């Protein structure tokens, strides 16, 4: 089960990524509206493969419940006081996969390609280590070529391809790619 650690990161903190100043902070229940606004501002192609449809109020309520239960850890990214993305780590609930976490990264287009994905992943790996996880998984559709390249560059390895295991918003099925990275050895 999860263990507390004395090495926990302190938030919020502000840094420069590319030419942009961004603030990283932990998501709180009060961020519900900001999360909905962020998700609803994303273009249709970014919404096609959301594992959790955070454009829907009920999904964000459920997200917040998981935050409170500490089975989900979400780091928000703000630029000029506006939410521009998040990195999240789900702690697997079943006993036999309790050493696994699941990572989700989602950034608005204006802040992609500047190193923020890598920065968020580093923060989430530090948290995974703090709570005693051993492996982090990332799942995406096989058609999400950009995301697959990003995770490969982050050091994730391809684990499996599951035929037709993802269905998009338009009810089209796609193959699901599962990638993984050991918690130790993430290159920050
Ligand atoms: C995935 C995502 C978070 C990446 O964030 P990002 O800030 O653009 O990524 P970074 O700038 O930190 O780039 C990380 C690495 O991937 C590379 N990369 C970034 N975008 C890439 C792309 N579209 N194709 C190939 N490589 C890419 C970078 O060059 C960098 O490699 P390097 O370390 O060798 O320089 C962002 O693209 C996104 O929000 N995508 C939509 C949601 C999604 O698909 N999430 C993944 C499933 S959870």
């Amino acid at each position: 089960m999860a263990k507390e650690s004395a090495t926990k990161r302190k938030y919020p903190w502000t840094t420069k990524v590319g030419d942009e100043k961004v603030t990283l902070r932990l998501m709180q229940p009060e961020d519900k509206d900001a999360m909905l606004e962020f998700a609803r501002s994303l273009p249709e192609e970014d919404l096609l493969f959301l594992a959790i449809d955070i454009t829907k109020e009920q999904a964000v309520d459920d997200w917040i419940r998981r935050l409170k239960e500490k089975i989900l850890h979400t780091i928000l990214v703000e630029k000029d006081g506006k939410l521009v993305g998040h990195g999240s780590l789900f702690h697997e609930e079943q006993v036999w996969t309790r050493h696994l976490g699941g990572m989700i990264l989602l950034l608005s287009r204006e802040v992609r390609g500047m190193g923020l994905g890598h920065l968020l992943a580093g923060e989430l790996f530090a948290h995974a280590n703090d709570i005693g996880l051993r492996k982090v998984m990332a799942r995406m559709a096989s058609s999400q070529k950009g995301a697959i390249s990003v995770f490969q560059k982050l050091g994730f390895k391809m684990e499996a391809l599951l035929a037709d295991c993802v269905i998009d918003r338009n009810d089209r099925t796609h193959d699901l790619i599962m990638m993984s990275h050991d918690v130790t050895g993430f290159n920050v």
Side-chain angles (χ1 to χ4, degrees), residues 105-107 112-118 144 146-147 149-151 153:
L105 299 177
L106 182 59
L107 295 170
R112 286 187 198 166
M114 309 185 314
L116 254 178
H118 187 238
Q144 289 179 280
S149 303
V150 171
F151 277 84
K153 287 189 173 160

Side-chain angles (χ1 to χ4, degrees), residues 2-174:
K3 62 175 188 199
E4 291 296 325
S5 160
T7 61
K8 269 192 183 155
R9 305 281 238 242
K10 296 263 191 298
Y11 296 94
W13 54 276
T14 298
T15 187
K16 246 184 142 187
V17 180
D19 290 333
E20 305 289 352
K21 208 164 108 178
V22 293
T23 298
L24 271 63
R25 66 177 181 82
L26 295 181
M27 183 174 170
Q28 306 295 332
E30 301 73 45
D31 293 313
K32 175 178 167 179
D33 289 343
M35 188 62 128
L36 283 168
E37 193 185 326
F38 161 68
R40 289 171 183 170
S41 74
L42 293 169
E44 190 58 33
E45 40 183 318
D46 287 355
L47 298 174
L48 201 59
F49 293 115
L50 287 188
I52 297 167
D53 187 354
I54 49 171
T55 63
K56 300 219 165 80
E57 199 171 345
Q58 200 184 332
V60 179
D61 285 338
D62 197 45
W63 190 287
I64 289 167
R65 177 186 60 74
R66 292 180 198 208
L67 285 180
K68 289 180 180 163
E69 289 173 4
K70 295 194 188 300
I71 48 178
L72 172 60
H73 180 80
T74 294
I75 301 168
L76 301 181
V77 185
E78 284 178 337
K79 181 171 141 312
D80 302 325
K82 195 173 153 236
L83 185 58
V84 289
H86 78 88
S88 294
L89 190 81
F90 288 88
H91 183 185
E92 288 282 346
E93 290 170 79
Q94 290 176 341
V95 169
W96 74 338
T97 49
R98 66 188 181 280
H99 60 309
L100 302 183
M103 185 179 288
I104 298 182
L105 299 177
L106 182 59
L107 295 170
S108 67
R109 283 163 185 248
E110 57 173 312
V111 293
R112 286 187 198 166
M114 309 185 314
L116 254 178
H118 187 238
L119 183 72
L120 280 171
E123 293 298 300
L124 295 172
F125 270 93
H127 176 70
N129 189 48
D130 281 348
I131 64 170
L133 301 184
R134 298 195 195 162
K135 211 165 166 155
V136 173
M137 314 292 296
R139 301 186 305 171
M140 51 215 89
S142 58
S143 45
Q144 289 179 280
K145 303 282 183 226
I148 293 169
S149 303
V150 171
F151 277 84
Q152 276 172 334
K153 287 189 173 160
L154 292 175
F156 279 73
K157 298 271 177 288
M158 209 69 96
E159 290 276 11
L161 181 150
L162 305 176
D164 291 329
C165 278
V166 171
I167 188 155
D168 67 24
R169 277 163 93 85
N170 304 323
D171 287 343
R172 276 192 57 206
T173 59
H174 302 255

